[in-house]
Amino acid sequence: MIRVHKIHSAGNWPKDRPQDPPADRITLDREDRHRRRAVMSGENGLSFLLDEPDAVFLHHGDGLELEDGRIVEVLAEPEDLVEIAARDTAHLIKIAWHLGNRHLPTQLMGETLRIRRDHVIEDMISRLGGGLTPVTAPFDPEGGAYGHGRTHGHSHDHEHDHGHGHSHSHSGGHHDHGPAHE
């Protein structure tokens, strides 16, 4: 079976073939875009193997370069989301802080935020004075600060070693993630 040779981030596909359309497309929801190893089939029936040393998070618009040079475009499946608006930037930051404190996958949209529908969280946002608009759209949440894990990281084209450990204390509702990384 043909394998994925390289993963190109959205907009960074091979520059020597910009006129070539992708050989196929694959539409995946957020969970299906977080993979280490999987046999995948594109919309036109092209089957291929994704086999990475560590799990990767594929983003909407990424290009999977196969061993023969063909590209398969990754599309994010539209999901039921809520778009969050705020009075001003400070208010949006306050809402974002509350979402981050709950480790909720959140898509940063400039002047708004997007999360998956959740009536409990939507009630919290309403109580904080945020505006809520239900939408159906691709969900591409922000990665986390440490560059790994289910809500983290988008690094495909290079290998790296952080050279440090992580300690996460989750007592008393406060999350201490230690000193900032340098």
Side-chain angles (χ1 to χ4, degrees):
M1 171 166 284
I2 194 161
R3 295 172 168 265
V4 173
H5 168 69
K6 193 173 198 178
I7 302 172
H8 299 277
S9 58
N12 292 315
W13 296 358
K15 304 295 184 204
D16 59 338
R17 301 186 315 259
Q19 72 284 357
D20 292 346
D24 209 338
R25 289 181 172 85
I26 188 161
T27 302
L28 304 167
D29 70 13
R30 180 175 172 271
E31 277 75 30
D32 287 338
R33 286 183 285 130
H34 185 257
R35 292 281 179 238
R36 186 192 77 73
R37 181 178 168 88
V39 173
M40 300 180 158
S41 294
E43 295 170 2
N44 297 326
L46 177 61
S47 291
F48 55 93
L49 175 65
L50 175 72
D51 188 14
E52 294 292 308
D54 297 305
V56 295
F57 188 81
L58 303 171
H59 289 264
H60 182 77
D62 283 355
L64 307 178
E65 184 177 343
L66 305 180
E67 293 169 314
D68 63 5
R70 291 181 292 173
I71 300 285
V72 176
E73 183 178 16
V74 175
L75 301 175
E77 183 177 308
E79 301 183 49
D80 291 331
L81 309 172
V82 63
E83 193 160 288
I84 303 164
R87 293 184 299 273
D88 54 30
T89 302
H91 187 220
L92 189 67
I93 290 170
K94 179 180 179 179
I95 292 169
W97 183 88
H98 282 279
L99 297 173
N101 192 47
R102 286 159 181 78
H103 294 254
L104 286 176
T106 303
Q107 185 172 356
L108 309 178
M109 305 289 296
E111 296 184 12
T112 60
L113 305 170
R114 281 187 183 163
I115 61 170
R116 282 192 165 149
R117 298 294 315 261
D118 180 321
H119 71 279
V120 172
I121 299 300
E122 291 174 42
D123 181 59
M124 176 195 74
I125 293 165
S126 291
R127 291 174 188 264
L128 290 169
L132 302 168
T133 304
V135 297
T136 300
F139 187 44
D140 222 356
E142 184 70 17
Y146 298 109
H148 55 80
R150 290 195 67 96
T151 61
H152 303 86
H154 186 210
S155 173
H156 302 304
D157 294 333
H158 64 279
E159 295 181 24
H160 62 280
D161 179 15
H162 291 293
H164 57 267
H166 299 282
S167 176
H168 299 277
S169 172
H170 292 276
S171 60
H174 173 73
H175 302 299
D176 181 10
H177 293 286
H181 290 64
E182 298 184 61

